């Protein structure tokens, strides 16, 4: 629990960055990244203990699952929600459509 208290600081913004590389056949690779800002609520010791006790943070790259129980930790998201979950879906669709429409 102590490591989690140091990791998750309530009332502060952090940035979630996801890098994506598109590859297909002989086409040159296309890379892009997406950044989303997330603000955690002010977190009490009880809330942190409860969340750590759920086991949910242990298999998450950022230590919380915004799509699960970790949603209660978050006050605000600025940018692409799906990026925080794991993949910037709308940006990926735009990039793939453009990437695949170009001649090889």
């Amino acid at each position: 629990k102590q490591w989690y208290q140091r990791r998750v600081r309530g009332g502060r913004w952090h940035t979630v960055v996801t890098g994506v590389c598109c590859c297909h056949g002989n086409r040159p690779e296309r890379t892009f990244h997406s950044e989303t800002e997330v603000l955690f609520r002010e977190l009490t010791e009880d809330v942190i203990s409860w969340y750590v006790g759920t086991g949910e943070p242990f298999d998450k790259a950022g230590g919380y699952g915004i799509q699960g129980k970790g949603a209660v930790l978050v006050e605000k998201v600025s940018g692409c929600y799906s990026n925080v979950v794991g993949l910037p879906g709308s940006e990926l669709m735009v990039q793939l459509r453009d990437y695949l429409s170009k001649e090889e």
Side-chain angles (χ1 to χ4, degrees):
K1 186 178 83 173
Q2 291 175 347
W3 68 266
Y4 201 78
Q5 288 172 320
R6 287 191 301 272
R7 168 75 176 88
V8 179
R9 295 191 177 107
R12 297 180 72 183
W13 288 92
H14 68 277
T15 305
V16 175
V17 181
T18 302
V20 179
C21 180
C22 302
C23 307
H24 181 57
N26 293 327
R27 298 171 191 263
E29 294 177 352
R30 161 122 9 128
T31 60
F32 69 94
H33 74 281
S34 180
E35 296 186 18
T36 304
E37 301 293 322
V38 178
L39 176 64
F40 278 131
R41 299 184 177 288
E42 290 292 338
L43 302 172
T44 65
E45 177 111 7
D46 288 343
V47 170
I48 292 171
S49 293
W50 166 80
Y51 188 60
V52 170
T54 70
E56 188 176 83
F58 301 113
D59 67 346
K60 307 293 184 278
Y64 68 100
I66 195 170
Q67 74 280 16
K69 295 175 181 79
V72 301
L73 309 176
V74 175
E75 183 173 320
K76 188 181 292 188
V77 175
S78 178
C80 179
Y81 171 84
S82 69
N83 184 48
V84 181
V85 174
L87 193 64
S90 58
E91 177 68 12
L92 178 60
M93 184 189 73
V94 169
Q95 293 284 341
L96 279 175
R97 184 174 45 217
D98 182 63
Y99 178 69
L100 295 173
S101 70
K102 305 260 193 257
E103 291 293 320
E104 287 188 49

